[in-house]
């Protein structure tokens, strides 16, 4: 049996979980999230302060869905309580970023500043000109928006210029050495 799928999800006070018509709805102080269950072999049982995800059979696809939907629901419960964050680091000579209204404006080595419109449900802040913090209640959406911002200037391997996550290890290549024998 799936080790992740069989773990129960503890629901904190102030968070409500409901399941109807193959849709799980989680409400909390930060908002509401919904997740549809694509398989009829997966059922969600809601008890007093706990949620269990169960499967009907041991087929390979059903086992995969079992762990997937359990983790998605656990992330929803965690997200409506405390938001998820991703931190990006801007590194390069003259590189900087700032938030103006609902746009993230980045000077990242191109001839003109790059503007990124922040989507609804996501908060982007710049605590300093070289740091971008993306936060929101939906873990998948936060990761997707952070990846879209990061793709505006990938890290180049020789000097490390570009955008990278704060916990990412940037592999640096050794530059050519001319004239050494």
């Amino acid at each position: 049996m799936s080790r992740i799928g069989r773990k129960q999800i503890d629901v904190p006070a102030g968070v409500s979980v409901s399941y109807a018509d193959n849709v799980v709805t989680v409400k909390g102080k930060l908002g509401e999230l919904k997740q549809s269950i694509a398989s009829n072999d997966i059922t969600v049982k809601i008890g007093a302060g706990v949620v269990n995800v169960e499967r009907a059979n041991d087929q390979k696809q059903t086992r995969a869905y079992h762990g997937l939907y359990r983790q998605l629901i656990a992330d929803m419960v965690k997200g409506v309580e405390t938001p998820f964050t991703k931190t990006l680091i801007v590194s390069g000579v003259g590189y900087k970023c700032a938030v103006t209204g609902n746009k993230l404006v980045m000077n990242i080595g191109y001839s003109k500043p790059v503007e990124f419109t922040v989507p609804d449900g996501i908060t982007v802040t710049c605590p300093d000109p070289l740091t971008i913090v993306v936060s929101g209640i939906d873990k998948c959406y936060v990761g997707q928006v952070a990846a879209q911002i990061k793709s505006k200037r990938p890290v180049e391997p020789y000097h490390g210029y570009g955008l990278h996550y704060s916990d990412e290890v940037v592999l640096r290549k050794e530059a050519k050495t001319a004239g050494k024998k």
Side-chain angles (χ1 to χ4, degrees), residues 94-114:
Y95 288 14
K96 61 183 177 179
C97 59
V99 177
T100 57
N102 69 337
K103 290 191 184 283
L104 173 65
V105 180
M106 300 175 282
N107 294 323
I108 49 178
Y110 297 118
S111 61
K112 295 181 181 179
V114 176

Side-chain angles (χ1 to χ4, degrees), residues 34-109:
K34 293 184 180 194
Q35 175 65 48
S36 63
I37 307 293
S39 175
N40 290 329
D41 296 330
I42 302 295
T43 56
V44 178
K45 306 262 184 190
I46 300 170
V50 294
V51 176
N52 289 316
V53 179
E54 298 175 356
R55 66 177 188 234
N57 55 46
D58 281 339
Q59 293 178 353
K60 187 174 183 178
Q61 189 62 48
T62 306
R63 287 182 300 175
Y65 280 149
H66 187 212
L68 169 75
Y69 286 121
R70 186 261 171 215
Q71 191 59 45
L72 288 175
I73 295 168
D75 287 341
M76 289 166 49
V77 169
K78 185 178 176 186
V80 296
E81 189 69 22
T82 58
F84 292 101
T85 61
K86 284 271 194 184
T87 305
L88 292 133
I89 304 297
V90 180
S91 59
V93 177
Y95 288 14
K96 61 183 177 179
C97 59
V99 177
T100 57
N102 69 337
K103 290 191 184 283
L104 173 65
V105 180
M106 300 175 282
N107 294 323
I108 49 178

